[in-house]
Amino acid sequence: MNLTLDEILQKIPDMENKSSESTLVYHSPDEDDLDFYIELCEFFRNSDDLSQQKVFDCLSEKKGILNTLLGMIFESAENLKKEKDVFWLKTGLTAAEINGNRLDPRDFLLALAELYVSAIKAGINPDSFFDAAKKAVPKNFKDYPVVKNRVGG
């Protein structure tokens, strides 16, 4: 489908209205909306800094979409385990970049840890991907207790 920046920015209010702002539960995209979130991640990953910043700024008060992006990280982790496709690792990390750790940092780190461990379970070394996602992933993330507990357990 390949959405443009203008199309994404126009679609955001509708997506926000469909999204839950509650952070008590992670909300993965509905089946009908999954394509939009995948397109959003693809667009963001392949865009210049200015376009990325426009998307990032547009979502600053959109707690429903930010929560759905958090859910998208978990969804990507599940799909990565099932399909063993690096596409889901990249999509999850891009969702993390767009989310920008703007809700609960504990949930954000937990989602990243699940993605990291899912990559390992899929036979993919996640280190270079996580290192490249500097905007989203804390430095030395693989050494965080939330990761070590999951890798060891």
Side-chain angles (χ1 to χ4, degrees):
M1 187 150 90
N2 294 337
L3 297 174
T4 66
L5 175 62
D6 287 337
E7 290 170 329
I8 287 171
L9 296 178
Q10 289 173 0
K11 197 159 173 107
I12 284 174
D14 290 337
M15 298 307 289
E16 177 66 10
N17 289 335
K18 294 171 75 174
S19 302
S20 173
E21 291 186 14
S22 173
T23 56
L24 298 176
V25 177
Y26 311 125
H27 294 277
S28 293
D30 293 336
E31 191 173 312
D32 295 341
D33 300 329
L34 183 60
D35 286 343
F36 169 77
Y37 284 94
I38 290 172
E39 285 278 337
L40 174 62
C41 290
E42 288 286 315
F43 174 84
F44 195 87
R45 183 171 44 252
N46 296 313
S47 292
D48 60 29
D49 290 343
L50 180 60
S51 295
Q52 288 181 351
Q53 191 62 49
K54 286 181 180 180
V55 170
F56 193 83
D57 291 346
C58 183
L59 296 176
S60 65
E61 299 298 321
K62 306 289 191 256
K63 291 183 181 177
I65 291 177
L66 294 174
N67 186 24
T68 304
L69 285 165
L70 184 65
M72 187 70 182
I73 302 168
F74 283 107
E75 180 89 11
S76 295
E78 285 301 310
N79 288 330
L80 180 57
K81 281 191 282 192
K82 290 179 202 166
E83 298 177 23
K84 299 178 182 0
D85 187 340
V86 74
F87 168 82
W88 290 111
L89 177 56
K90 291 177 181 179
T91 300
L93 286 170
T94 305
E97 282 191 88
I98 301 168
N99 174 285
N101 193 9
R102 293 185 267 187
L103 298 174
D104 187 330
R106 297 166 296 183
D107 293 337
F108 186 75
L109 293 175
L110 180 62
L112 285 177
E114 290 298 322
L115 188 62
Y116 188 92
V117 171
S118 293
I120 292 171
K121 289 181 178 177
I124 300 168
N125 184 338
D127 293 337
S128 63
F129 295 96
F130 273 71
D131 290 345
K134 296 175 193 162
K135 291 180 185 176
V137 179
K139 190 175 181 180
N140 299 320
F141 183 68
K142 68 180 179 181
D143 297 325
Y144 275 47
V146 70
V147 176
K148 286 188 170 202
N149 288 340
R150 280 168 179 67
V151 170

